[in-house]
Amino acid sequence: MGVVVKNLTKTFQSQKTDFAAVRDVSFEVEEGALVALLGPSGSGKSTILRMIAGLEQPDSGEIFLGGENVTRLATQKRGVGFVFQNYALFKQLTVFQNIAFGLQVQGAPRAEIKGRVSELLELLGLKDLGRRYPHQLSGGQRQRVALARALAPRPKVLLLDEPFGAIDAKIRKELREWLRTLHDEMHVTSLFVTHDQEEALEICDHIYVMNQGVIEQGGTPEEIYKRPATEFVANFVGLMNIHDAVVKDGKLSIGPYSFPGNGGNGLAEGDRIRVFFRPQDIYISGASNAYAMHARIVRRSFLGVSIKLEIEAEHGFRFIAIIPEHVFYNEKLAEGAAISYQIEEFHYVNLRAGKGMKKLVFADYEI
Ligand code: ADP
Ligand code: MG
């Protein structure tokens, strides 16, 4: 069962002013998909989730679950399951009883409850923990029990609000994988709220990026990462190099790169342009003739499987590059080393014309 949200608006009254937490938001979650609402704290993600769950009433707009308009329907009648960061387990019940809870409320037969709970214990790697109490579990195990409890009554839609927020980095990563695996087994339509871009990129089929109560962009993880539609998305999802420049003598110059103002880019003399390029979109070589541009490595830092380089080219053009570790060693790179480089792709926002982001056309650039 899919989710459709149409023109949802929610305003909260504070002492003096009204505050629009969600402004005319529309989006869809296809049946069986795992979709993220990704945005910084305060962007309206939880408010949207709470309206879909029926815990908050929208000022205007409509919510459809499986084609049925549920905007005015009580929470219990919507068939949604939740996992929230602070949605604690029942302390006095065992793991088994916690997971069975929703089915018991529904009055399911005992044998069916036993079968369903056993299946979920197995799926979530909790097989031997059924008799334990929540205080006898680790944080990661508790959140897996919370997932199992939400899924037990076979909800039509699963709503997850920063479910792994309070858990440390390593276990968070494991939990993401559990969620993805579980989703691939059960295909429950799921909406996953997070402020962690890595989490959203890694496990979701589709991402909506939120900012200040509106959706800035919706797309697959690749689309959001490779073709950010706005400056906000470019900055929020992944690392970005940013340089401002003014169109002068018909050209836009970024370090040694020069782009034609007219032609494909349609820039006017005097336009202020903000240019973006990803640290991962840069080729680097220790050989001076491998690429056309030349620079020096100022600093390197180790990021695990990749290496981050601070690079300084002529005329004070500085940027960050991220390269795979093996490239760093194969190319015999080091701090202070001379390199040649090439930036593969630039995007820009015309600060005069508005916030939409476009790809810069290289055309016949000169060095
Ligand atoms: P997010 O989940 O993205 O962090 P929220 O949906 O919780 O954002 O909140 C969006 C905005 O609405 C925030 O500025 C928050 O302070 C405000 N807000 C949320 N709930 C209430 C409420 N019950 N009363 C007043 N303001 C609220
Ligand atoms: Mg929130």
Side-chain angles (χ1 to χ4, degrees), residues 10-14 19-22 38-50 56 161-162 193-195 210 213:
K10 178 74 185 178
T11 303
F12 292 109
Q13 269 84 35
S14 60
F19 179 76
V22 175
L38 171 67
S41 173
S43 56
K45 307 179 300 292
S46 294
T47 305
I48 290 178
L49 220 63
R50 291 171 58 78
E56 200 88 69
D161 193 350
E162 314 243 9
V193 160
T194 179
H195 66 268
M210 289 204 64

Side-chain angles (χ1 to χ4, degrees), residues 113-125 154 186:
I113 294 177
K114 190 149 186 275
R116 178 72 174 159
V117 175
S118 304
E119 178 196 5
L120 283 162
L121 286 171
E122 174 88 44
L123 259 177
L124 281 154
R154 301 184 194 279
M186 307 186 104

Side-chain angles (χ1 to χ4, degrees), residues 24 26 35 58 75 84 153 163 194 216 219 250 271 294 297 325 330 342:
D24 197 22
S26 301
V35 170
T75 298
F84 293 157
T194 179
E216 293 257 336
D271 279 357
H294 297 92
I297 296 173
E325 194 187 9
N330 289 346
Q342 179 178 320

Side-chain angles (χ1 to χ4, degrees), residues 7-304:
N7 307 105
L8 221 51
T9 293
K10 178 74 185 178
T11 303
F12 292 109
Q13 269 84 35
S14 60
Q15 284 105 343
K16 287 203 184 100
T17 48
D18 287 355
F19 179 76
V22 175
R23 297 185 278 156
D24 197 22
V25 163
S26 301
F27 68 90
E28 286 185 30
V29 181
E30 266 182 51
E31 169 147 15
L34 172 55
V35 170
L37 275 183
L38 171 67
S41 173
S43 56
K45 307 179 300 292
S46 294
T47 305
I48 290 178
L49 220 63
R50 291 171 58 78
M51 289 191 282
I52 294 172
L55 300 169
E56 200 88 69
Q57 268 297 309
D59 301 337
S60 58
E62 288 169 317
I63 298 160
F64 297 84
L65 300 180
E68 185 195 358
N69 188 337
V70 301
T71 316
R72 309 277 153 208
L73 208 62
T75 298
Q76 314 81 272
K77 296 193 176 151
R78 293 192 187 194
V80 297
F82 313 91
V83 183
F84 293 157
Q85 182 180 319
N86 303 316
Y87 201 57
L89 298 174
F90 304 118
K91 279 194 284 225
Q92 72 286 13
L93 301 185
T94 63
V95 166
F96 189 101
Q97 290 165 334
N98 263 283
I99 299 172
F101 184 81
L103 290 164
Q104 273 162 349
V105 170
Q106 286 178 354
R110 193 180 274 240
E112 189 195 316
I113 294 177
K114 190 149 186 275
R116 178 72 174 159
V117 175
S118 304
E119 178 196 5
L120 283 162
L121 286 171
E122 174 88 44
L123 259 177
L124 281 154
L126 297 164
K127 221 167 85 185
D128 303 320
L129 304 179
R131 291 167 191 273
R132 293 223 192 150
Y133 287 88
H135 75 271
Q136 298 170 312
L137 303 174
S138 69
Q141 288 167 339
R142 260 181 241 151
Q143 278 315 79
R144 277 186 269 153
V145 176
L147 262 178
R149 183 177 62 177
L151 286 166
R154 301 184 194 279
K156 296 174 193 137
V157 175
L158 182 63
L159 302 174
L160 304 132
D161 193 350
E162 314 243 9
F164 314 139
I167 291 173
D168 60 58
K170 183 165 178 291
I171 310 293
R172 270 179 89 119
K173 237 174 143 47
E174 272 175 39
L175 284 167
R176 290 182 207 170
E177 279 153 30
W178 279 110
L179 177 60
R180 185 68 234 187
T181 308
L182 199 64
H183 185 266
D184 292 344
E185 286 282 327
M186 307 186 104
H187 304 288
V188 184
T189 309
S190 304
L191 186 56
F192 178 68
V193 160
T194 179
H195 66 268
D196 181 335
Q197 39 118 357
E198 209 182 290
E199 209 163 75
L201 289 171
E202 186 177 321
I203 62 172
C204 294
D205 306 313
H206 198 90
I207 298 175
Y208 293 103
V209 183
M210 289 204 64
N211 179 31
Q212 299 187 341
V214 302
I215 290 177
E216 293 257 336
Q217 185 176 5
T220 62
E222 287 84 356
E223 283 164 353
I224 298 280
Y225 187 83
K226 291 195 177 144
R227 293 189 289 285
T230 65
E231 180 173 352
F232 175 82
V233 175
N235 268 319
F236 193 72
V237 181
L239 283 170
M240 265 296 180
N241 288 293
I242 304 176
H243 288 268
D244 284 359
V246 174
V247 180
K248 196 166 162 248
D249 301 329
K251 284 184 202 153
L252 178 68
S253 298
I254 299 295
Y257 290 89
S258 175
F259 299 90
N262 294 323
N265 293 318
L267 307 174
E269 195 71 7
D271 279 357
R272 287 188 306 124
I273 308 298
R274 185 159 291 163
V275 175
F276 300 81
F277 55 98
R278 292 262 184 227
Q280 292 86 347
D281 285 345
I282 304 169
Y283 291 117
I284 304 250
S285 172
S288 65
N289 57 354
Y291 302 110
M293 309 305 184
H294 297 92
R296 190 167 292 280
I297 296 173
V298 176
R299 188 169 295 119
R300 68 141 199 181
S301 33
F302 184 63
L303 300 180

